[in-house]
């Protein structure tokens, strides 16, 4: 693979008259003499470490689907993370139920929702995709499938998380109100990647809304909401209040907007605009999208300030603040 210097901003934005220049990764020429701009993009600052893992696959000519699975496993295994994997916060009854999905360049996909006691839901989702005729398994069925596939059981919540939950429980009893989502109690990792063969894939994994109602599932494991990939166009994923993202089929909407010719950032902004239009009350309603297109252009956008995303390209690693519609 030859590495070549390329200007940082693609032409797409200029052609469409976009206000923002289109951000693009640097390109390489692959063994088929194609110019590809490989990139890994993921939500929030935990994405930096996850991207590094994913990049090892990408830079060695591996497939994006493997990169996005192995990348987010880093976050799932990080017990200091309170919104993804083993260290995730529980539902209101103290059960840590995890959601995840994965999608590849052939539009194959797999998902698990409300799975408990299994440390790598993203890999269970991958197994659903690879080993079953189904797209999604939930609850006990997902857990039994995972055990059949050789995943080991883990005990959650971990003790620190259990302590927090007990404290929350005490306070909630006093306030007798439902949990609220805010920018401190949620932080899904969604990752999208373009490999050196020019193929796109994505993954998304979360413990969801902290102290949610038992059985609640958000956008993250829902193909089209938390994640969507169309190898002809681009890939997108979401974070934030899942209920709002599901209402507009968020990630699918972003990809369809790119199909209509919008840059990744414009497409994310338009999806955010739609969320804003559809909700009378935006109190605490943070949602963010990130997207990449087939040409390695990328972008993100959120309802409120405070959303950032990690970018990894041949040029290096970076954490970027997403543009947003309004201040908290
Ligand atoms: N989207 C996730 C959910 O609603 C939460 C998050 O992104 O933090 O479950």
């Amino acid at each position: 693979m030859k590495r070549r210097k390329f200007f940082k901003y693609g032409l797409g934005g200029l052609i469409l008259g976009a206000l923002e220049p289109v951000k693009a990764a640097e390109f390489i020429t692959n063994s088929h003499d194609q110019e590809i701009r490989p990139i890994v993009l993921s939500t929030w600052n935990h994405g930096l470490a996850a991207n590094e893992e994913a990049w090892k696959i990408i830079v060695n000519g591996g497939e994006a689907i493997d990169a996005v699975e192995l990348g987010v496993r880093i976050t799932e295994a990080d017990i200091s993370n309170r919104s993804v994997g083993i260290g995730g916060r529980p539902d209101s009854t103290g059960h840590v139920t995890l959601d995840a999905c994965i999608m590849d360049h052939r539009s194959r996909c797999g998902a698990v929702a409300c799975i408990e006691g299994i440390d790598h839901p993203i890999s269970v989702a991958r197994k659903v995709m690879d080993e079953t005729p189904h797209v999604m398994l939930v609850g006990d069925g997902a857990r039994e499938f995972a055990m059949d596939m050789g995943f080991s059981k883990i005990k959650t919540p971990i003790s620190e998380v259990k302590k927090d939950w007990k404290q929350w429980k005490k306070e909630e009893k006093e306030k007798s109100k439902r949990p609220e989502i805010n920018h401190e109690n949620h932080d899904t990792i969604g990752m999208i990647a373009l490999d050196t063969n020019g193929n796109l894939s994505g993954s998304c994994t979360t413990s969801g809304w902290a102290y949610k109602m038992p059985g609640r599932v958000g956008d993250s494991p829902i193909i089209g909401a938390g994640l969507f990939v169309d190898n002809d166009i681009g890939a997108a994923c979401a974070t934030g209040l899942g209920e709002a993202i599901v209402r507009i089929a968020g990630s699918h909407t972003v990809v369809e907007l790119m199909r209509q010719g919008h840059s990744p950032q414009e497409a994310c902004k338009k999806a955010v605009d739609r969320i804003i239009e559809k909700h009378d009350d935006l109190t605490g309603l943070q949602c963010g999208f990130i997207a990449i297109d087939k040409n390695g252009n990328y972008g993100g956008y959120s309802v409120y300030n405070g959303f950032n995303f990690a970018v990894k390209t041949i040029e290096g690693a970076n954490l970027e603040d997403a543009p947003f519609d309004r201040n908290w």
Side-chain angles (χ1 to χ4, degrees):
M1 285 188 301
K2 279 182 283 171
R3 177 183 160 170
R4 284 193 204 160
K5 195 79 193 150
F6 190 60
F7 47 88
K8 254 210 115 168
Y9 300 108
L11 293 176
L14 299 177
I15 291 162
L16 284 163
L19 295 174
E20 298 276 337
V22 176
K23 293 176 177 178
E26 189 180 344
F27 74 81
I28 51 114
T29 304
N30 70 12
S31 50
H32 306 292
D33 227 27
Q34 297 164 312
E35 288 174 353
I36 306 286
R37 294 187 236 163
I39 182 167
V40 182
L41 210 65
S42 54
T43 55
W44 305 107
N45 56 0
H46 49 214
L48 285 170
N51 282 3
E52 290 304 321
E53 191 68 15
W55 191 253
K56 289 181 198 162
I57 312 281
I58 300 286
V59 84
N60 286 311
E63 292 204 48
I65 187 66
D66 295 325
V68 297
E69 179 191 355
L70 297 182
V72 302
R73 278 174 64 102
I74 295 293
T75 323
E76 287 183 338
D78 175 3
I79 55 164
S80 69
N81 190 309
R82 292 286 164 269
S83 50
V84 179
I86 306 173
R89 290 212 167 91
D91 66 17
S92 60
T93 62
H95 291 268
V96 181
T97 58
L98 303 175
D99 303 330
C101 73
I102 193 159
M103 188 163 192
D104 78 0
H105 62 286
R106 287 177 284 171
S107 296
R108 295 164 70 242
C109 48
V112 288
C114 220
I115 187 171
E116 192 175 356
I118 301 288
D119 57 355
H120 283 299
I122 197 63
S123 296
V124 187
R126 173 87 190 254
K127 287 282 184 206
V128 173
M129 176 177 105
D130 287 343
E131 308 289 342
T132 81
H134 305 306
V135 162
M136 179 182 262
L137 296 177
V138 306
D140 290 345
R143 181 180 156 90
E144 272 159 38
F145 168 72
M147 288 190 305
D148 287 350
M149 288 287 126
F151 288 80
S152 44
K153 286 191 272 179
I154 52 156
K155 204 166 153 32
T156 54
I158 58 171
S159 56
E160 305 92 293
V161 172
K162 197 168 184 176
K163 212 169 112 213
D164 288 353
W165 167 72
K166 281 188 173 155
Q167 180 61 25
W168 171 84
K169 199 83 190 141
K170 214 172 115 211
E171 286 165 15
E172 281 310 286
K173 222 171 176 175
E174 284 154 19
K175 287 189 276 178
S176 74
K177 66 175 180 80
R178 288 260 168 84
E180 281 172 5
I181 199 156
N182 62 44
H183 55 292
E184 281 144 19
N185 70 4
H186 64 102
D187 274 348
T188 298
I189 184 158
M191 176 181 280
I192 45 184
L194 178 66
D195 65 27
T196 58
N197 294 313
N199 287 325
L200 292 158
S201 288
S203 61
C204 191
T205 177
T206 192
S207 54
W209 185 337
Y211 314 133
K212 60 199 173 187
M213 291 172 72
R216 180 266 186 188
V217 172
D219 61 307
S220 304
I222 311 290
I223 296 295
L227 172 71
F228 195 68
V229 177
D230 183 325
N231 207 44
D232 295 330
I233 305 297
C237 60
T239 181
L241 185 65
E243 284 72 2
I245 295 162
V246 169
R247 279 183 197 117
I248 66 146
S251 295
H252 180 260
T253 295
V254 172
V255 172
E256 291 308 304
L257 286 161
M258 289 194 285
R259 193 190 304 278
Q260 290 167 22
H262 296 286
S263 72
Q265 184 173 311
E266 287 171 331
C268 292
K269 180 184 180 326
K270 283 184 172 293
V272 163
D273 289 347
R274 198 172 297 180
I275 286 178
I276 291 171
E277 273 161 35
K278 302 279 178 199
H279 292 83
D280 295 332
D281 183 5
L282 292 172
T283 315
L285 199 163
Q286 174 66 312
C287 290
F289 294 100
I290 56 172
I292 53 183
D293 70 14
K294 197 61 191 160
N295 300 317
N297 302 310
Y298 69 93
Y301 208 86
S302 55
V303 177
Y304 287 98
N305 58 314
F307 171 49
N308 50 26
F309 57 91
V311 187
K312 179 79 184 180
T313 67
I314 282 167
E315 288 173 298
N318 206 10
L319 188 65
E320 293 194 18
D321 288 326
F324 51 88
D325 190 83
R326 56 195 63 202
N327 280 297
W328 282 106

